[in-house]
Amino acid sequence: MSDPDTPMTFADRYNQRSATDEGEAIFEQTQSGAADLVERLRTEFRVLDAVAFADMMVSLQQWFSDRSPIWDVDEQTSGPAGSGGAGVEWTYRGTHTQTGTFNGLPATGRDVEVHGYSAFTVVESRLDVRRYIDWAGLYAQLGLVVNWRVPILADPGDQG
Amino acid sequence: MTDAMPYHLEKGPTLGLIETYLNRADKRGVLKALRALEADDPDGVGWLETVLPELWDDEAFKKAPTGARGMREHIIKHWFGYDGTSGGPWTPGRPAPARTGNWIGYHGDVNRIVRRTFRWGLEVALGLMPDEDRPGRADPAAIELFWVCGVHWFEGWVVQRPTPHGGRLVTIIFVTPAHEGATVASSPLATSPTTRVAGLPNAVPSTEDHYEQVAFPPAAAAAGPPARPRAVDRPYATWVVTHERHNRLFPLKNNALGAAVGLPLAPPTLADYEGVGGPVVVSPSMPAGGVTYDGWIRP
């Protein structure tokens, strides 16, 4: 369980997931020399899994407390992506316990399951990630609604 | 209760007519009928037609494309979510998770909420608790009606307060989810001569009769017929005070832009608006959900 007062770092989270002490070294590689790291992500699923986990946890722990089983990945949809990247589809489970950090929401205490896909590539020698997160699914679990009154222009001449 | 609601708050012609007949009627008689129908036919929707029978004969309904009968059907089908037609029995719609009527993301017994709201509003106007069967106040409070659209679920609000000289006013506000086809104008300022415009599926603010923009010195322009009373002297108006327009701040197209790993995310807020200009003070035209100067809905 993460402690909101002492958030775990990327390296801590990498070590937590991989059960190794490679976290610091991996984080260093994300900042420079990421080409070698991406090659490992393409070929070593456990590294890809732990990097995606560590990256997402840095954000998710500011909003949620982890709930077992915290994390699942789908190996069928994970691995090499594109000519020089790697991607992993993941599921995170937590409980919304942190007040104020998620756009100011009070803690709802609700269990949530967040689905997403993280794609890793190299940009200017650092590891770049694009996180495709099912925000609508998360918002629905928190009870938020989209306002279905679509704003339109008042002047019909501008509505084309 | 029209399909043309370009503002967040509406009275408009239908609620205006219901309000007129509610205040014109013998409130004690209407309450008695509502109480009986609620007890004897809890799922029934006949109360809508019977408790204010003269309402539906008003010539103003001839302006509605489907007439009074079509407006009743609209309320029963699209507000209450009932199945059927006026010629046959009305039955409650499908159970959850099917949506009720045209309300998006909502299932509930709107018929009972609306009927109970009117009942409690009448009871407050008459000074009667629900279990009291006596005439009530000889001079019942006036009742006014409004509709606000675009919230989580359906609610009826009954607001009571004293008015000068010993009077009382009861305000009923229906607060509802958004409905199919719902829009809201990003500016309260009207440029169109009509609310309905050929080729547009949505209603827009209009400069039709009873629209008015207040002029604030030193430079603002007013919009309103000069023969009308001053804005502050209008017997009836619904003023909205807001920016001249609302622009999308960040037309968000991609929540997955590339970033360095290990950096905290911010949850997307979907649409962010920036109010620009003004503030302006506007009373919408009656067809756009406003009210007439004198409170009358004319045929």
Side-chain angles (χ1 to χ4, degrees), chain A residues 10 27 30-31 51 55-56 58-59 62-63 101-103 120 126-133 135 139 143-156 159, chain B residues 5-8 104 149-150 152 178 182-187 189 191-192 197 200 202-205 255-265 267-270 273:
Chain A
F10 176 95
F27 184 69
T30 68
Q31 305 303 302
V51 166
D55 175 61
M56 284 312 307
V58 171
S59 282
Q62 63 179 323
W63 307 325
T101 55
F102 198 97
N103 272 344
F120 299 95
R126 71 168 168 78
L127 190 65
D128 187 82
V129 60
R130 298 191 303 280
R131 310 174 185 100
Y132 294 89
I133 298 169
W135 289 109
Y139 290 179
L144 306 174
V145 296
V146 170
N147 188 324
W148 287 91
R149 292 195 69 179
V150 64
I152 48 106
L153 293 169
D155 185 344
Q159 292 194 29
Chain B
M5 186 182 182
Y7 294 93
H8 282 120
I104 297 171
C149 174
H152 287 60
T183 61
V184 62
S186 55
S187 170
L189 301 180
T191 60
S192 173
V197 178
L200 281 186
N202 52 272
V204 295
N255 277 315
L257 292 172
V261 297
L263 293 179
L265 282 166
T269 51
L270 302 187
Y273 291 95

Side-chain angles (χ1 to χ4, degrees), chain B residues 69-86:
Chain B
R69 179 174 166 157
M71 181 56 69
R72 276 202 310 276
E73 286 196 8
H74 163 64
I75 295 169
I76 293 169
K77 282 184 176 178
H78 301 144
W79 276 58
F80 300 168
Y82 275 52
D83 297 323
T85 63
S86 291

Side-chain angles (χ1 to χ4, degrees), chain B residues 124-212:
Chain B
V124 171
L126 286 156
L128 295 173
M129 290 299 289
D131 60 347
E132 288 184 304
D133 185 18
R134 56 184 178 80
R137 288 194 177 93
D139 186 16
I143 296 176
E144 61 177 358
L145 305 175
F146 293 103
W147 172 24
V148 176
C149 174
V151 300
H152 287 60
W153 47 74
F154 197 106
E155 297 174 340
W157 283 78
V158 177
V159 181
Q160 62 196 85
R161 68 177 181 86
T163 57
H165 314 297
R168 290 170 61 79
L169 176 66
V170 174
T171 303
I172 290 176
I173 308 164
F174 293 106
V175 183
T176 76
H179 56 86
E180 289 180 18
T183 61
V184 62
S186 55
S187 170
L189 301 180
T191 60
S192 173
T194 56
T195 301
R196 284 293 179 188
V197 178
L200 281 186
N202 52 272
V204 295
S206 74
T207 55
E208 283 162 287
D209 207 6
H210 314 289
Y211 173 80
E212 186 165 4

